[in-house]
């Protein structure tokens, strides 16, 4: 099968989209040829499988939006006659543009976000299939939408043989600094009296890609300072995937306060690392199973605004002995591997490709 993947970047050091390199390698192992179109050329020295060719819209050479659009059209028009399926990743505009340029070539869009836009509705109308992680991670309903799991690399996010340090338990949250990610809820929970007397260190990993998120980050730091928690809370900024994994290896508890509709892959990364992860999205329930302790790590939908309830669950997770948390984490990790590992996703994705090409 000959495939064209359109995605924003192909850079393993990118703090948000570095995982796409792993996706490309896994997909290339399952298709005859894989062409990849990105905004900018991959970094020099990036090794890709021999059946992968990369094409750039020209951002690295300073092209403006109109010039990049022309390059997009030219590449898609040139490759489409020799392509069996066009797979657009996360950007509805790529999907509907490709569908207009090459209507004879089946198009598939991958999308996991709560945001509904006119362009998303247009893409849904024009593509052959939309694939998403879970039903709750796509904001629209329709016969074209299929949930096939997420794609977390289990060879990269794997538990360390050594248990995390327990003298100063590390609490970790990974995600860009944004109100929708709920870092303010976490800081408010850390101020609750129920956590007084417990040793902990909080680390927020996440960048500030725009002015709004920079203002939000400043407000978070002010709130931490006013609460007298500045020495116990660290903001690292955006980090490359290897550094994020290193923090997971040291973490005692991970937090993910993304609301329903945001099936955050950062939470899945923590689960694959064997870290007990408190979430506020009920879509994770299938991974946590029937264990009462694990079910307590899923807060009720409105609990993100109830800092006392959040702090209570966090206290219990911090107190959970290693010998009790380990078997629970192992069961959750097994469920996550089954439903959301990269090999499983790619096998299901190839199945979708084959269906639309027939």
């Amino acid at each position: 099968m000959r495939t064209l993947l359109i995605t924003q970047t192909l850079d393993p050091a990118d703090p948000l989209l570095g995982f796409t390199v792993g996706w490309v390698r896994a997909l290339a192992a399952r298709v005859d040829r894989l062409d990849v179109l990105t905004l900018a050329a991959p970094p020099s020295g990036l090794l890709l499988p021999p059946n992968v060719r990369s094409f750039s819209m020209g951002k690295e050479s300073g092209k403006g939006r109109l010039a990049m659009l022309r390059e997009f059209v030219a590449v898609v028009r040139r490759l489409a006659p020799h392509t069996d399926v066009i797979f657009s990743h996360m950007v509805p505009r790529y999907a509907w543009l490709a569908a207009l340029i090459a209507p004879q070539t089946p198009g598939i869009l991958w999308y996991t976000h709560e945001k509904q836009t006119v362009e998303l509705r247009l893409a849904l109308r024009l593509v052959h299939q939309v694939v998403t992680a879970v039903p709750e991670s796509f904001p629209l309903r329709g016969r074209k939408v299929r949930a096939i799991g997420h794609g977390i690399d289990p060879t990269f996010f794997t538990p360390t043989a050594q248990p995390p340090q327990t003298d100063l338990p590390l609490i970790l949250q990974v995600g860009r600094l944004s109100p929708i990610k709920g870092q303010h809820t976490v800081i408010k929970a850390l101020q609750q009296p129920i956590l007084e007397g417990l040793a902990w260190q909080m680390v927020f990993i996440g960048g500030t890609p725009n002015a709004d998120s920079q203002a939000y980050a400043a407000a978070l730091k002010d709130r931490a300072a006013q609460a007298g928690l500045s020495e116990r809370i660290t903001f690292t900024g955006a980090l490359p995937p290897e550094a994020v994994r290193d923090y997971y290896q040291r973490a005692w508890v991970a937090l993910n306060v993304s609301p329903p509709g945001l099936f955050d892959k950062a939470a899945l990364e923590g689960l694959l690392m064997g870290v007990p992860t408190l979430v506020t999205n009920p879509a994770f329930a299938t991974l946590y199973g029937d264990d009462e302790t694990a079910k307590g790590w899923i807060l009720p939908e409105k609990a993100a605004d109830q800092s006392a309830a959040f702090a209570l669950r966090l206290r219990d997770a911090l107190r959970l002995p290693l010998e009790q948390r380990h078997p629970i984490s192992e069961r959750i990790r097994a469920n996550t591997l089954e439903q959301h590992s990269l090999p499983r996703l790619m096998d299901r994705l190839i199945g979708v490709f084959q269906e639309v090409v027939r």
Side-chain angles (χ1 to χ4, degrees), residues 115-353:
K115 189 174 182 180
Q116 299 184 35
T117 65
V118 172
E119 292 197 77
L120 181 62
R121 292 182 181 276
L122 180 59
L124 178 60
R125 184 181 183 89
L126 294 179
V127 299
H128 285 66
Q129 192 90 53
V130 170
V131 286
T132 190
V134 294
E136 297 86 350
S137 62
F138 190 76
L140 303 172
R141 295 293 173 262
R143 59 180 178 80
K144 292 182 179 180
V145 181
R146 183 182 303 185
I148 62 172
H150 231 310
I152 311 301
D153 186 351
T155 65
F156 185 84
F157 290 101
T158 187
T160 177
Q162 299 296 324
Q165 63 182 20
T166 56
D167 55 335
L168 189 60
L170 175 64
I171 309 168
L172 183 63
Q173 182 172 356
V174 179
R176 73 184 186 279
L177 301 187
S178 168
I180 200 169
K181 297 291 186 176
Q183 288 91 355
H184 59 285
T185 299
V186 173
I187 292 178
K188 189 174 181 181
L190 293 173
Q191 299 174 242
Q192 297 301 308
I194 198 170
L195 293 178
E196 288 182 3
L198 286 180
W200 54 264
Q201 186 71 33
M202 180 74 219
V203 174
F204 291 104
I205 298 177
T208 52
N210 53 48
D212 288 342
S213 60
Q214 291 165 12
Y216 179 67
L220 291 174
K221 293 173 183 178
D222 286 344
R223 178 173 293 187
Q226 292 170 9
L229 298 176
S230 293
E231 294 185 359
R232 304 182 74 179
I233 297 178
T234 300
F235 296 88
T236 69
L239 295 178
E242 290 81 4
V244 175
R245 180 185 59 186
D246 291 345
Y247 269 103
Y248 274 126
Q249 290 176 342
R250 296 163 43 203
W252 188 257
V253 181
L255 309 177
N256 192 280
V257 198
S258 296
L262 284 183
F263 192 72
D264 205 329
K265 71 181 185 66
L268 298 173
E269 292 168 356
L271 296 177
L272 280 184
M273 295 292 295
V275 182
T277 303
L278 275 61
V279 298
T280 53
N281 187 342
F284 286 93
T286 59
L287 303 178
Y288 285 55
D290 295 328
D291 183 275
E292 290 301 319
T293 298
K295 287 195 293 186
W297 297 343
I298 306 175
L299 278 72
E301 188 170 329
K302 295 182 180 180
D305 296 325
Q306 300 168 0
S307 56
F310 196 93
L312 175 63
R313 308 295 178 90
L314 180 56
R315 183 203 65 179
D316 293 343
L318 288 171
R319 287 179 171 179
L320 189 65
L322 184 64
E323 62 272 15
Q324 293 183 31
R325 74 179 227 146
H326 181 71
I328 300 172
S329 296
E330 282 296 298
R331 287 194 294 271
I332 296 175
R333 183 174 192 273
N335 293 338
T336 306
L337 280 170
E338 172 64 28
Q339 298 181 40
H340 299 291
S341 69
L342 181 58
R344 295 281 188 180
L345 172 67
M346 288 301 154
D347 289 345
R348 294 167 184 147
L349 186 60
I350 289 298
V352 175
F353 287 1

